[in-house]
Amino acid sequence: MKRIGYLLVVLFLYGCSNEGGKLVCSMSYQLTTQQSESINQKSAVRSKTSLTDDRYTQFGDYITSVTPSVFIIKFLDLRLCSTWLNQEHNLAIIDNNKFAWSSTERIADFSQNSTVTIDLDGHVANDIDMIYLVSTPMFYYQEFELPAEYAGFTIDMDGPCNLKFLNFGGSANIDYPAANDGIGGVKTGCLVKGSNNPLMAPIFDKNWTGFNGNFPEMPHTTILGNTDSTFIFSSDGTASKDDPLGTGGDLIRSLSFNAITLHAIPEGETKTIVGMMTFDTSNLIQIYAGKDNVPYTSDDIFVYAPRYWERLSVKMTSY
């Protein structure tokens, strides 16, 4: 995983004094079997049917799709932003510089419909509109059952996505190994436990050259809000409407977030932001016949469904 380096400063709206009350964020994470309706009514969102029925054409014949039984996101950073013109106006919900790698606040367990409550540093001194949510995961983790035809052999290393490669340096857990940019993975019979990287890499390996020990550049940050469509944005690292923190690289831009207003909190009071993040995992992982175009052989391709990023939606309510 590419580590994202932000040039961030202390949130201006909090100020440096002790004036103003405190803020808490309660984030809930839920699976949805139906694509959430757009919060922004300016643009229609594709239905679940069109999302799950979409196919790639570069990986051979489509074989089938599977739905993970476990789906978890571990966040590197998650923050609200008010504008791309002034980077001081951002509020860290999960702060890369604050939380330990093992912190439970980083874990979004969608399969358990989990809720995490986070005390936010500082004091809210001024009203401000938050129009972006910037999400930077460490990784997605999933567990899923392959069709029975895959039980008896190991997928080889020749294609750009394979299950043998899920054994890349670690056990299938949700801790972040210091010596590895992934979480590792295992295949036992037909049960696969592992990270998102092998399942995303074929989408962004434009020349289909295979891994060769490396992953292609993939979007690692999603910028939600202040747009009327969902698309991939290539940034040169300059702060802009579609890259408010100047992150750089390929970014996912999503309309599936509603702007919220944070109001000044009186001294001694505590207010709560309530957030709900949903992800549609229905038939998330698609399987293709690979270069030989023969199903259930060692070069088969395992990949996230097209436009998997449209399955993510966030709704937040301010106090």
Side-chain angles (χ1 to χ4, degrees), residues 28-307:
S28 295
Y29 306 99
Q30 292 189 5
L31 294 179
T32 175
T33 56
Q34 203 166 29
Q35 180 66 16
S36 301
E37 291 182 357
S38 172
I39 295 168
N40 185 333
Q41 297 302 318
K42 294 179 182 178
S43 178
V45 173
R46 296 173 185 266
S47 68
K48 174 196 168 189
T49 300
S50 67
L51 277 175
T52 58
D53 286 352
D54 273 2
R55 304 285 183 259
Y56 297 105
T57 59
Q58 68 269 41
F59 303 133
D61 289 345
Y62 168 79
I63 301 173
T64 190
S65 295
V66 294
T67 300
S69 57
V70 174
F71 188 79
I72 293 168
I73 295 177
K74 187 169 185 177
F75 287 104
L76 179 68
D77 200 272
L78 184 69
R79 63 184 60 237
L80 292 161
C81 298
S82 65
T83 176
W84 61 271
L85 296 173
N86 185 344
Q87 292 189 31
E88 290 182 336
H89 286 184
N90 66 77
L91 168 61
I93 298 171
I94 297 171
D95 189 341
N96 179 39
N97 298 312
K98 173 184 175 183
F99 293 113
W101 293 130
S102 59
S103 173
T104 56
E105 284 91 344
R106 292 185 183 273
I107 301 296
D109 191 343
F110 290 81
S111 39
Q112 295 295 323
N113 292 335
S114 65
T115 297
V116 178
T117 300
I118 303 168
D119 292 325
L120 306 182
D121 291 335
H123 302 269
V124 180
N126 305 294
D127 292 359
I128 193 164
D129 295 328
M130 293 297 193
I131 61 175
Y132 295 101
L133 180 70
V134 181
S135 167
T136 306
M138 287 184 179
F139 52 75
Y140 298 173
Y141 169 86
Q142 55 264 301
E143 299 178 7
F144 57 95
E145 286 278 352
L146 293 172
E149 289 86 347
Y150 293 107
F153 63 91
T154 300
I155 308 302
D156 68 22
M157 296 286 288
D158 294 336
C161 188
N162 53 77
L163 298 184
K164 185 176 179 181
F165 199 77
L166 285 174
N167 294 302
F168 60 95
S171 60
N173 56 58
I174 57 176
D175 290 329
Y176 190 82
N180 197 316
D181 276 343
I183 61 169
V186 294
K187 176 182 178 289
T188 305
C190 287
L191 177 63
V192 175
K193 302 178 180 181
S195 78
N196 56 293
N197 280 344
L199 302 170
M200 287 170 54
I203 307 170
F204 302 104
D205 186 353
K206 297 177 182 178
N207 296 320
W208 198 2
T209 59
F211 289 128
N212 297 319
N214 297 300
F215 289 110
E217 281 298 313
M218 299 179 287
H220 295 288
T221 298
T222 300
I223 314 290
L224 299 102
N226 198 28
T227 182
D228 59 5
S229 61
T230 298
F231 57 95
I232 300 292
F233 177 71
S234 295
S235 171
D236 64 2
T238 302
S240 66
K241 176 180 179 292
D242 291 316
D243 185 7
L245 296 180
T247 303
D250 286 341
L251 311 172
I252 297 170
R253 289 291 283 119
S254 173
L255 58 80
S256 297
F257 172 73
N258 60 302
I260 62 172
T261 300
L262 302 183
H263 300 286
I265 303 175
E267 177 73 21
E269 293 188 14
T270 299
K271 300 293 184 180
T272 301
I273 304 171
V274 176
M276 173 66 74
M277 183 178 290
T278 61
F279 199 98
D280 182 359
T281 57
S282 301
N283 297 317
L284 174 63
I285 298 163
Q286 294 184 347
I287 306 175
Y288 292 83
K291 289 183 178 180
D292 66 4
N293 210 30
V294 178
Y296 307 114
T297 57
S298 62
D299 74 338
D300 290 358
I301 304 300
F302 304 82
V303 63
Y304 278 168
R307 305 187 321 279

